[in-house]
């Protein structure tokens, strides 16, 4: 769409129209002004490139700005519009950097992923945020879901280009409708990222195809319902006490604040998390517009700063006393510390083609459960050696010592609760 025609675009969202007036149009529609950040791949670190970027005037963005900022993540940005050439995909060779909108890292940082946690990237393609997540921590299990088959291939290629083979054993890619994931894996994940499909203002404004741009505008009316459906599914997949990040790359209030308001109004078990401090911390590199929600941020494009748009909202699933599907109520007694559980579960056909084998232990000091990452995919290797084992019962078995024999009855009761075996 030509810049001169921008003023004639009919935007159904009045709030979006005001923001488009506020944002410089040339920043949105001129690629020469887009500032691509360079995210380094810690699994193939480009030391020489780092020296080159510093000589060219690049600086680290987001570095050490937050208490929980991962030291393993390195991202560079130029004060002036600049773009590094993209690296080509070469099978068997890891790429050294990933080009992205620096604002795309804010949802990842807000999620605060830690080593050993189970993470769901519900709408993962093309894979930039999944790559960023893996620069922050070593998850115990990362599920990257993408419903669109073509985008799913793109996602797999991205993961292959940046992630070493040993780490791929804890990464799975599925092609479910995101609205079904919550029912397929209820109360399973510590952290969930929903980078939802959206109207993508930059894309349709920049499009030279007027018919395609018009279609995108009409499509905006249907997106909020889809986004709410994805969020509800993500909430089901999230364990009690887990964190959820919702993000879009649109200025539309209907797809941003209104979607979050709908979730908060309809689900009393969801708690908004204040992230207003991020705007104060990163104001030097980003321009933020008010959202009237302490749990959300909106990055808007501006010359000389990292470009957007990017909306981020942070929510937490409360510890409900009710039994939700796939969850155990918070009033249930904790397992004795001397017990561990070895759990093997076969995933639904078409969702994940692997069997997960997770050992869960209990910490006496904190009385919390911990998953042993090294146990992942053990069952798969056993099945390859002994195909008959595939037909054996997949029921979980409790192993206990003599000193805790008196708790056998309690363990038998709890072992029937499937939700104790979700990863936490």
């Amino acid at each position: 769409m030509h810049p001169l025609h921008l003023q004639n675009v009919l935007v159904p969202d009045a709030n979006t129209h005001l923001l488009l007036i506020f944002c410089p149009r040339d920043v949105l529609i001129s690629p020469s002004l887009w500032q691509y950040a360079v995210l380094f791949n810690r699994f193939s670190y480009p030391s020489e490139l780092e020296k080159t970027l510093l000589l060219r005037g690049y600086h680290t963005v987001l570095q050490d700005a937050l208490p929980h900022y991962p030291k393993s993540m390195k991202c560079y940005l130029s004060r002036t519009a600049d773009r590094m050439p993209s690296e080509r995909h070469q099978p068997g060779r890891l790429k050294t950097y990933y080009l992205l909108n620096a604002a795309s890292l804010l949802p990842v940082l807000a999620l605060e992923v830690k080593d050993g946690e189970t993470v769901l990237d519900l709408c993962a393609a093309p894979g930039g945020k999944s790559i960023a997540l893996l620069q922050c921590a070593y998850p115990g299990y990362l599920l990257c879901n993408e419903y669109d088959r073509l985008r799913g291939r793109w996602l797999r290629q991205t993961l292959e280009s940046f992630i070493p083979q040993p780490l791929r054993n804890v990464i799975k890619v599925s092609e479910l409708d995101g609205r079904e994931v919550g029912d397929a894996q209820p109360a399973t994940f510590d952290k969930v990222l929903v980078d939802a499909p959206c109207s993508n203002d930059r894309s349709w404004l920049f499009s030279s195809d007027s018919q395609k741009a018009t279609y995108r505008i009409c499509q905006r009316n249907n997106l909020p319902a889809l986004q709410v459906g994805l969020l509800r599914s993500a909430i089901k997949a999230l364990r009690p006490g887990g964190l959820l990040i919702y993000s879009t790359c649109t200025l539309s209030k209907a797809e941003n604040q209104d979607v979050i308001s709908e979730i908060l109004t309809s689900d009393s078990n969801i708690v908004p998390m204040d992230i207003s401090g991020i705007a104060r911390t990163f104001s030097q590199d980003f321009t933020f517009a008010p959202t009237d929600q302490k749990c959300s941020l909106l990055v808007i494009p501006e010359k000389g700063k990292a470009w957007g748009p990017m909306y981020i909202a942070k929510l937490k699933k409360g510890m409900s006393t009710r039994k939700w599907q796939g969850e155990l109520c918070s009033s249930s007694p904790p397992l004795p510390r001397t017990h561990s559980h070895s759990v093997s579960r076969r995933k639904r056909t078409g969702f994940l083609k692997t069997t997960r084998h997770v050992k869960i232990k209990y910490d006496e000091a904190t009385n919390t459960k911990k998953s042993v990452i090294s146990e992942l995919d053990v069952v798969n290797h056993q099945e390859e050696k002994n195909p008959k084992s595939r037909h054996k019962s997949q029921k979980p078995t409790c192993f206990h010592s003599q000193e805790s024999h008196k708790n056998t009855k309690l363990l038998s009761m709890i072992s029937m609760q499937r939700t104790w075996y979700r990863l936490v």
Side-chain angles (χ1 to χ4, degrees):
M1 185 175 296
H2 194 278
L4 295 178
H5 297 159
L6 183 61
Q7 58 186 353
N8 297 324
V9 172
L10 295 178
V11 183
D13 187 341
N15 182 266
T16 303
H17 183 66
L18 292 174
L19 286 172
L20 285 174
I21 294 174
F22 178 77
C23 298
R25 289 182 293 178
D26 50 356
V27 178
L28 275 172
I29 62 179
S30 300
S32 61
L33 296 177
W34 298 355
Q35 294 171 284
Y36 285 87
V38 183
L39 177 65
F40 283 5
N41 184 11
R42 66 166 166 168
F43 307 112
S44 180
Y45 199 83
S47 301
E48 293 301 319
L49 175 61
E50 185 173 26
K51 297 176 183 178
T52 302
L53 292 181
L54 291 173
L55 291 174
R56 290 173 57 173
Y58 278 72
H59 67 284
T60 55
V61 60
L62 310 173
Q63 187 80 21
D64 299 326
L66 295 172
H68 57 269
Y69 188 92
K71 295 181 179 180
S72 55
M73 178 185 280
K74 274 281 188 81
C75 186
Y76 283 86
L77 184 68
S78 175
R79 289 294 182 191
T80 58
D82 191 16
R83 176 171 181 171
M84 292 284 295
S86 299
E87 292 183 295
R88 291 186 177 181
H89 172 70
Q90 300 180 34
R93 182 177 179 181
L94 296 181
K95 292 183 179 181
T96 58
Y97 62 89
Y98 187 89
L99 299 179
L100 77 170
N101 175 356
S104 298
L105 295 177
L106 293 178
V108 175
L109 291 175
L111 197 57
E112 302 180 43
V113 176
K114 297 179 179 62
D115 291 348
E117 290 184 323
T118 54
V119 184
L120 167 63
D121 190 349
L122 191 62
C123 311
K129 291 183 177 63
S130 295
I131 295 299
L133 285 169
L134 292 164
Q135 304 305 312
C136 298
Y138 292 99
Y141 176 56
L142 172 61
L143 174 58
C144 302
N145 182 71
E146 177 53 51
Y147 184 51
D148 186 276
R149 181 165 295 181
L150 292 178
R151 287 172 60 83
R153 292 178 184 173
W154 188 2
L155 170 64
R156 287 184 174 88
Q157 186 179 92
T158 301
L159 294 172
E160 181 183 341
S161 297
F162 286 90
I163 308 304
Q165 185 62 48
L167 189 55
R168 293 180 209 164
N169 293 331
V170 298
I171 303 172
K172 304 302 173 187
V173 177
S174 63
E175 295 181 352
L176 270 186
D177 184 329
R179 292 167 291 187
E180 299 175 359
V181 174
D183 291 327
Q185 294 214 352
T188 300
F189 299 93
D190 299 299
K191 307 287 174 65
V192 177
L193 174 63
V194 184
D195 188 37
C198 64
S199 51
N200 195 338
D201 299 320
R202 184 182 298 277
S203 179
W204 68 260
L205 284 173
F206 182 65
S207 175
S208 59
D209 187 340
S210 58
Q211 291 185 345
K212 187 176 181 179
T214 302
Y215 171 76
R216 283 181 177 273
I217 294 173
C218 295
Q219 192 182 35
R220 296 170 79 108
N221 296 325
N222 301 322
L223 285 170
L226 170 63
Q227 292 156 347
V228 169
L230 290 171
L231 268 177
R232 295 196 192 285
S233 175
I235 291 169
K236 287 182 181 179
L238 191 65
R239 69 167 180 81
L243 294 177
L244 183 151
I245 295 294
Y246 172 78
S247 64
T248 72
C249 52
T250 180
L251 299 169
S252 171
K253 181 175 179 290
E255 299 176 47
N256 295 338
Q257 296 97 309
D258 291 352
V259 169
I260 295 300
S261 295
E262 169 64 22
I263 293 296
L264 292 175
T265 302
S266 60
D267 193 337
S268 60
N269 198 39
I270 298 302
V271 181
M273 302 294 289
D274 188 354
I275 56 173
S276 57
I278 293 180
R280 295 189 296 270
T281 303
F282 297 128
S283 59
Q284 184 176 355
D285 293 309
F286 302 95
T287 297
F288 296 91
T291 63
D292 298 326
Q293 294 174 327
K294 288 186 177 181
C295 67
S296 68
L297 302 171
L298 178 61
V299 178
I300 60 175
E302 185 177 342
K303 287 184 179 179
K305 292 194 176 183
W307 44 276
M310 180 63 60
Y311 175 81
I312 310 108
K314 187 172 185 177
L315 306 174
K316 182 177 182 178
K317 188 172 185 178
M319 302 295 291
S320 175
T321 56
R322 294 181 297 170
K323 285 188 179 181
W324 295 78
Q325 180 183 4
E327 297 178 23
L328 195 65
C329 62
S330 59
S331 60
S332 298
L335 289 176
R337 69 174 182 87
T338 55
H339 294 260
S340 63
H341 293 270
S342 183
V343 185
S344 177
R345 294 188 294 180
R346 173 68 64 184
K347 301 301 176 185
R348 292 188 178 186
T349 303
F351 181 58
L352 291 179
K353 297 181 180 180
T354 62
T355 302
R356 303 208 47 233
H357 189 78
V358 182
K359 195 171 183 180
I360 304 174
K361 293 185 176 180
Y362 293 84
D363 190 336
E364 179 183 17
T366 61
N367 197 27
T368 57
K369 292 179 284 184
K370 294 183 178 180
S371 59
V372 180
I373 306 170
S374 61
E375 294 291 328
L376 287 169
D377 292 329
V378 171
V379 173
N380 283 343
H381 300 304
Q382 292 177 348
E383 289 183 350
E384 291 175 2
K385 296 178 181 179
N386 184 15
K388 293 182 180 180
S389 63
R390 298 178 184 176
H391 305 289
K392 293 182 179 180
S393 173
Q394 298 295 325
K395 293 182 180 180
T397 305
C398 298
F399 301 95
H400 52 86
S401 60
Q402 292 182 354
E403 66 177 286
S404 59
H405 181 73
K406 61 183 180 180
N407 293 306
T408 302
K409 184 176 181 180
L410 172 62
L411 284 172
S412 299
M413 295 173 61
I414 296 177
S415 65
M416 298 301 293
Q417 297 286 354
R418 183 182 178 189
T419 55
W420 273 114
Y421 304 121
R422 57 176 166 72
L423 297 177
V424 294

